[in-house]
Amino acid sequence: MTDLQLPPFVMLTQDDCPNCERLKLMLEKPLRGQFESQIEVIHRQQQAEEFAALTKSSGVMATPALIHRASGKVLLTTGGLGEVRGFLTGQG
């Protein structure tokens, strides 16, 4: 995949992360998957090198995290529907 084909957002996730599961469910259910094509999921245990590179470049120390590739903005407070939707639509 080239940079032009990469989704604009990255979601960092990992095993045994209840908040990661909550965010995934939020994206599937209340947000009805409308952002699915815009988010690349990077899983710590399955994509360790890419995960490590992104955490280093973004300064993220916790999961889940949403990162906007173009701006480098990071959303760590993913528990509220409003915050997540606002971040993904550029309103947050």
Side-chain angles (χ1 to χ4, degrees), residues 8 17-18 24 29 34 42 56 59 62 64 71 75 77 84 86-88:
C17 173
K24 289 177 194 173
K29 306 278 184 190
Q34 69 189 44
I42 305 295
K56 184 177 180 181
S71 68
L75 179 69
T77 50
V84 171
F87 185 77
L88 294 172

Side-chain angles (χ1 to χ4, degrees), residues 50-68:
E50 194 170 355
F51 185 94
L54 280 167
T55 56
K56 184 177 180 181
S57 66
S58 65
V60 170
M61 302 292 284
T63 57
L66 287 169
I67 302 169
H68 183 245

Side-chain angles (χ1 to χ4, degrees), residues 20-33:
C20 297
E21 293 305 315
R22 191 173 302 118
L23 176 57
K24 289 177 194 173
L25 284 173
M26 184 187 306
L27 292 168
E28 288 174 21
K29 306 278 184 190
L31 294 175
R32 296 184 211 99

